[in-house]
Amino acid sequence: MKLQGTAYSASRIKGLAGAMDDLANGLLDMRGRYETNRAAARTALGDDDYARGYWQTHGPRLEAIGIGLGLLYEAVQREEGRLGHASSIYKAADDANDASH
């Protein structure tokens, strides 16, 4: 399909959607591993004055990293859905174009 001089391929867009799905799954796995390691660090530090000071100083940043990974996962997952939808639209347009010739 060609639109304003740019060629689009339904299969390429579908492939990109698949790559975005792989990225989303990798981010979800990374977020899980991050949270596991953060919890392990908290357990390892214990509950003495040093540990409380550490978490007071670094806890918000560490929590923000986990939240950021979650937000990135959600954004990539939404984009994968949009690309999958676009691929099906381009395929339908190509099929309709082929049928008309």
Side-chain angles (χ1 to χ4, degrees), residues 17 19-25 27-28 31 69-85:
M20 292 297 269
D21 184 53
D22 291 345
L23 178 59
N25 290 331
L27 285 165
L28 185 61
R31 181 181 181 204
L69 287 170
L71 291 172
L72 187 56
Y73 161 74
E74 291 170 9
V76 169
Q77 191 177 41
R78 279 192 306 273
E79 193 59 30
E80 182 272 329
R82 291 177 185 136
L83 287 167
H85 181 71

Side-chain angles (χ1 to χ4, degrees), residues 1-2 13 15 20 22 24 26 28 30-32 41 43 56 58 62 65 71 73 75 77 79-81 95 98:
M1 169 181 260
K2 230 174 174 168
I13 294 172
M20 292 297 269
D22 291 345
L28 185 61
M30 182 188 303
R31 181 181 181 204
T43 300
Q56 185 176 8
H58 301 291
L62 295 172
I65 291 169
L71 291 172
Y73 161 74
Q77 191 177 41
E79 193 59 30
E80 182 272 329
D95 291 348
D98 291 343

Side-chain angles (χ1 to χ4, degrees), residues 42 45 48-62:
R42 184 168 203 115
L45 285 170
D48 59 8
D49 289 342
Y50 174 79
R52 284 189 293 278
Y54 180 88
W55 288 109
Q56 185 176 8
T57 301
H58 301 291
R61 178 179 53 86
L62 295 172

